[in-house]
Amino acid sequence: METASPRLFIDTIHAFRRTAMIAAAIRLDIFSHIAEGATTARALAQSVSVSPRGIRILCDCLAVNGFLSKRGDAYALTADAAAFLDRRSPTYLGSLADYIASDLQWEAFRDIVPAVRRGGTVLPNGGILDPDHTSWTQYARSMSPMLRRPAHEVARMLAGETSGRPVRVLDLAAGHGLFGIALAQANPRAQVVALDGVQPLAIARAHAEAAGVAERYTTLAGDARQLDFGGPYDLLLVANLLHCFDREACDGILRRLRASAAPGARLAIVDFVPLDDRTGSRDGVEFALIMLCLTPAGDAHTFEELAAMVQRAGFHAPELRPIAASPMSVVLAEARE
């Protein structure tokens, strides 16, 4: 018989404080300062220009939560903090706090009861669906470090179908552009058209230049629900977009993608995909809550739902593949004649 414990409730109800704690530490760049030798509260206070008492309390909390170790009055980075929170590390992820702990996110999640009652966001102007909403620029800039590896995993997954031959790729709602850029890096004969709002595309263009693929990277500004995609395309890439919309809107986007597809083109949908009974990965299930609070009708669509959508749009043989070391998956389908 299972023994009841309040631990899960207590840990969850306190979680917002830990979000604030780690966001503050990142914004003060505490981990980088410790790595550079400011290991005591007094030294950190001088380096960061804050109160010695304040920094001591914050660092003690970071230590008991596993981000720092402490011996006497000296702090040191744990292996995880050194890899992901020291700004000098090539695997730095601290920029995620700029988006995940942004004012918009706090506003959306401070009280979700109204969103639950309505069945959709109560944020102004219908939430974040405008492709030029400031949150998408922040997303493109802040979340890129976390998505580089999944982007290259997807490119490797598709390499057998695109490598060595000329292909036209549409990267729909490209954002940071990393998925399309990874495909261009994997195939030097690939031409990528990235579609998104004006400001996210500026970030995507900068990433393409840094990756050395700018000459094969074209941008197209507009709303994925309305803009003519052009084409035909050999690969249609839809990364982290369909969860923003309900089934009817997704059907419309996918039908227009099908009309832009070359014969035999492949469709690749990258997204959080919960199990068909909406269990399994917490990331996939909880992503639906994010969409509830940020969009009017978005959802974390199951594979069963996505497979039905792509088939209604005229694609065939949908299959689900996991992405290594990522909570996201890829739904693949084919545009047959």
Side-chain angles (χ1 to χ4, degrees), residues 103-319:
D103 290 344
L104 174 76
Q105 298 283 340
W106 284 113
E107 179 184 356
F109 286 91
R110 184 176 292 110
D111 178 9
I112 70 171
V113 170
V116 173
R117 285 196 172 121
R118 177 183 287 187
T121 186
V122 295
L123 291 175
N125 303 314
I128 62 171
L129 294 189
D130 186 333
D132 287 310
H133 193 287
T134 56
S135 69
W136 293 122
T137 305
Q138 191 173 49
Y139 173 87
R141 183 178 293 115
S142 303
M143 300 296 285
S144 298
M146 186 179 73
L147 294 167
R148 283 196 177 91
R149 182 172 177 183
H152 285 285
E153 290 293 338
V154 171
R156 277 193 284 272
M157 189 183 299
L158 297 170
E161 302 173 25
T162 63
S163 180
R165 65 183 179 91
V167 292
R168 291 198 73 204
V169 179
L170 175 64
D171 187 359
L172 194 62
H176 41 71
L178 297 182
F179 286 93
I181 289 167
L183 288 165
Q185 289 177 306
N187 181 358
R189 301 181 72 186
Q191 299 281 340
V192 177
V193 176
L195 186 152
D196 211 315
V198 173
Q199 293 306 314
L201 285 178
I203 296 170
R205 164 62 62 180
H207 287 158
E209 291 172 355
V213 299
E215 292 183 356
R216 296 181 286 118
Y217 197 83
T218 304
T219 58
L220 184 61
D223 190 325
R225 294 168 293 177
Q226 301 168 356
L227 196 67
D228 181 0
F229 299 152
Y233 297 100
D234 304 291
L235 179 60
L236 304 158
L237 178 61
V238 188
N240 294 318
L241 173 66
L242 296 185
H243 56 232
C244 292
F245 307 111
D246 60 13
R247 187 190 73 180
E248 288 73 21
C250 291
D251 282 348
I253 292 170
L254 289 166
R255 282 195 299 269
R256 291 169 56 243
L257 282 171
R258 179 63 183 86
S260 298
R266 293 287 273 173
L267 171 70
I269 299 170
V270 180
D271 221 318
F272 293 86
V273 184
L275 297 179
D276 288 341
D277 64 354
R278 297 191 178 279
T279 61
S281 163
R282 189 171 73 177
D283 297 281
V285 175
E286 288 188 351
F287 204 83
L289 182 66
I290 298 173
M291 292 299 99
L292 174 71
C293 294
L294 295 180
T295 70
D299 207 340
H301 303 295
T302 67
F303 174 63
E304 182 179 44
E305 292 168 336
L306 290 168
M309 290 176 197
V310 301
Q311 288 171 321
R312 283 195 298 270
F315 293 96
H316 299 271
E319 60 174 304

Side-chain angles (χ1 to χ4, degrees), residues 34-151:
I34 291 174
E36 291 168 356
T39 61
T40 66
R42 184 169 297 280
L44 281 167
Q46 292 176 346
S47 295
V48 186
S49 300
V50 296
S51 152
R53 174 178 178 272
I55 204 74
R56 185 263 300 167
I57 291 172
L58 180 57
C59 287
D60 285 347
C61 289
L62 291 167
V64 298
N65 278 282
F67 294 99
L68 299 175
S69 61
K70 185 178 183 183
R71 178 173 295 180
D73 63 352
Y75 301 99
L77 304 187
T78 62
D80 287 349
F84 304 117
L85 298 175
D86 177 358
R87 196 175 296 275
R88 303 170 303 173
S89 170
T91 53
Y92 177 71
L93 295 178
S95 64
L96 273 64
D98 293 336
Y99 180 75
I100 296 173
S102 66
D103 290 344
L104 174 76
Q105 298 283 340
W106 284 113
E107 179 184 356
F109 286 91
R110 184 176 292 110
D111 178 9
I112 70 171
V113 170
V116 173
R117 285 196 172 121
R118 177 183 287 187
T121 186
V122 295
L123 291 175
N125 303 314
I128 62 171
L129 294 189
D130 186 333
D132 287 310
H133 193 287
T134 56
S135 69
W136 293 122
T137 305
Q138 191 173 49
Y139 173 87
R141 183 178 293 115
S142 303
M143 300 296 285
S144 298
M146 186 179 73
L147 294 167
R148 283 196 177 91
R149 182 172 177 183

